[in-house]
């Protein structure tokens, strides 16, 4: 059995990790940390755990957690996660970090978006946790940087275009929409029901932190000089991400032919589904699953690829992908507890 602890267990992502881990046949949960709810049973915070898990939240104690943990999921803010990851790694515990601390490989880029990195030496040791691209490296990793939710959706939408050198000159535009759970479990005016209901707004118009992450991974697939525009929107739903990617094509191609490119690229991927030409994904079709649906369209002029993608931001965009990575790290079937 894999002995697993969660640092930061009371937020939405922590709850989603627990939703899947309590039914995982190869996992024993040993510690759950929470600074705000220390001493409280976890089933009082995540009510669905009543009768299923009796662990009590603890304040983080790396030495104590490390004694009976093979793997730790870190659900901490950027900055705080880096030092905690280093402390667990020093004690031989594997780490899956759900913050942004190890996602960006260029330290200058990281510091431009997040500030000074507190453990820069570890950045080169981390593996970006997108199984569809780095599966073999994840299997050997002791530190995995779980991708961001917007980033996962946009990268999966664009990778086949980049990898097959299909992108022409001109801007690449990612129009992204997310449910309110993407902001985490916090209270701010824009996330209140009366503000959000029957409304929609764009945000982070000066730049969103997932933007360099998306560009980094596309650029690794195929060097690009394209201008990259990423605009996120907040929509009145609890969970889910929907991305529409507009990319200029080097030469005209039919939607059916481009769909074959995507089918070939994702042929053996258990959690990526390619829909029919001009068919759109739906948030409801992927909610509470680790699936990503991708639709393939071409503009009326034939010069632009229009790729649509949808996933659950708390599952494939966070906790589900983290468990997918854990399965790989411990040589288990990748789909264990996720189907």
């Amino acid at each position: 059995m894999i002995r697993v602890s969660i640092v930061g267990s009371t937020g939405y992502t922590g709850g989603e990790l627990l939703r899947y881990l309590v039914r995982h046949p190869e996992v024993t949960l040993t510690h759950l940390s929470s600074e705000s709810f220390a001493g409280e049973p976890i089933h009082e915070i995540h009510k669905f755990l009543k009768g299923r898990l009796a662990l009590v939240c603890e304040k983080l104690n790396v030495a104590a957690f490390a004694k009976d943990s093979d793997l730790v999921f870190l659900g901490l803010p950027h900055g705080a996660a880096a030092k905690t990851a280093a402390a667990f790694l020093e004690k031989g515990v594997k780490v899956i970090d759900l913050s942004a601390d190890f996602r960006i490989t260029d330290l200058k880029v990281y510091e431009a978006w997040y500030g000074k990195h507190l453990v820069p030496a570890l950045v080169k040791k981390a593996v970006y946790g997108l199984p569809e691209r780095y599966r073999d490296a994840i299997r050997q990793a002791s530190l995995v940087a779980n991708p961001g939710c917007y980033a996962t959706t946009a990268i999966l939408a664009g990778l086949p275009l980049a990898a097959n050198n299909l992108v022409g000159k001109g801007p690449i535009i990612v129009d992204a929409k997310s449910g309110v759970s993407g902001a985490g479990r916090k209270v701010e005016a824009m996330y209140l029901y009366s503000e959000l209901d029957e409304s929609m707004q764009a945000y982070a118009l000066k730049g969103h932190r997932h933007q360099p992450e998306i560009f980094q991974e596309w650029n690794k697939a195929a060097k690009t000089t394209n201008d990259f525009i990423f605009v996120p929107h907040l929509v009145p739903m609890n969970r889910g991400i929907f991305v529409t990617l507009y990319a200029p094509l080097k030469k005209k191609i039919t939607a059916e032919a481009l769909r074959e490119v995507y089918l070939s690229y994702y042929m053996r991927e258990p959690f990526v589904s390619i829909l029919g030409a001009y068919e759109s994904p739906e948030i409801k079709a992927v909610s509470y699953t680790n699936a990503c649906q991708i639709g393939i369209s071409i503009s009326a002029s034939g010069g632009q690829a229009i790729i649509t993608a949808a996933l659950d931001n708390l599952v494939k965009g966070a906790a589900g992908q983290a468990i997918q990575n854990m399965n790989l790290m411990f040589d288990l079937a990748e789909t264990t507890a996720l189907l």
Side-chain angles (χ1 to χ4, degrees), residues 78 97-114 123 126-134 144-159 162 172 174 207-222 224 228-230 241 311 313 316-318 321-322 325:
H78 68 271
D97 177 30
L98 287 104
S99 84
D101 277 352
F102 300 104
R103 295 173 185 165
I104 307 297
T105 56
D106 186 326
L107 284 171
K108 289 183 179 179
V109 174
Y110 175 90
E111 290 175 359
W113 290 87
Y114 294 96
V123 172
V127 174
Y128 192 69
L130 191 73
E132 290 78 9
R133 184 149 176 84
Y134 299 110
V144 168
N146 215 62
C149 51
Y150 278 130
T152 297
T153 323
I155 293 166
L156 290 175
L159 267 180
I172 298 170
V174 174
H208 190 282
R209 286 169 169 169
H210 287 186
Q211 182 169 327
E213 189 180 338
I214 299 165
F215 189 77
Q216 167 185 282
E217 293 306 313
W218 284 356
N219 208 37
K220 285 182 179 178
T224 178
F228 175 53
I229 301 165
F230 173 65
I241 284 183
L311 54 74
N313 59 293
K316 182 59 173 169
Q321 184 154 242
N325 285 323

Side-chain angles (χ1 to χ4, degrees), residues 103-260:
R103 295 173 185 165
I104 307 297
T105 56
D106 186 326
L107 284 171
K108 289 183 179 179
V109 174
Y110 175 90
E111 290 175 359
W113 290 87
Y114 294 96
K116 185 178 180 180
H117 202 291
L118 300 180
V119 195
L122 276 181
V123 172
K124 289 184 179 180
K125 296 181 180 179
V127 174
Y128 192 69
L130 191 73
E132 290 78 9
R133 184 149 176 84
Y134 299 110
R135 182 171 284 109
D136 291 340
I138 292 166
R139 285 193 175 102
Q140 306 301 319
S142 57
L143 172 60
V144 168
N146 215 62
C149 51
Y150 278 130
T152 297
T153 323
I155 293 166
L156 290 175
L159 267 180
L161 288 173
N164 287 280
N165 199 26
L166 296 175
V167 180
K169 294 180 180 180
I172 298 170
I173 301 170
V174 174
D175 178 296
K177 297 172 177 67
S178 173
V180 70
S181 61
R185 202 172 195 175
K186 60 186 177 184
V187 179
E188 291 182 13
M190 69 184 290
Y191 306 124
L192 297 176
Y193 178 83
S194 56
E195 300 291 335
L196 185 63
D197 189 44
E198 299 293 338
S199 185
M200 184 176 80
Q201 59 182 296
Y203 66 99
L205 290 168
K206 289 184 178 180
H208 190 282
R209 286 169 169 169
H210 287 186
Q211 182 169 327
E213 189 180 338
I214 299 165
F215 189 77
Q216 167 185 282
E217 293 306 313
W218 284 356
N219 208 37
K220 285 182 179 178
K223 294 292 183 184
T224 178
T225 57
N226 297 69
D227 189 18
F228 175 53
I229 301 165
F230 173 65
V231 182
H233 302 74
L234 182 63
V235 295
M237 60 185 182
N238 289 329
R239 56 169 71 210
I241 284 183
F242 194 100
V243 157
T244 304
L245 163 67
Y246 304 91
L249 293 167
K250 277 188 174 179
K251 59 182 180 180
K252 291 186 178 182
I253 184 173
T254 65
E256 291 76 14
L258 184 56
R259 180 175 180 267
E260 290 298 320

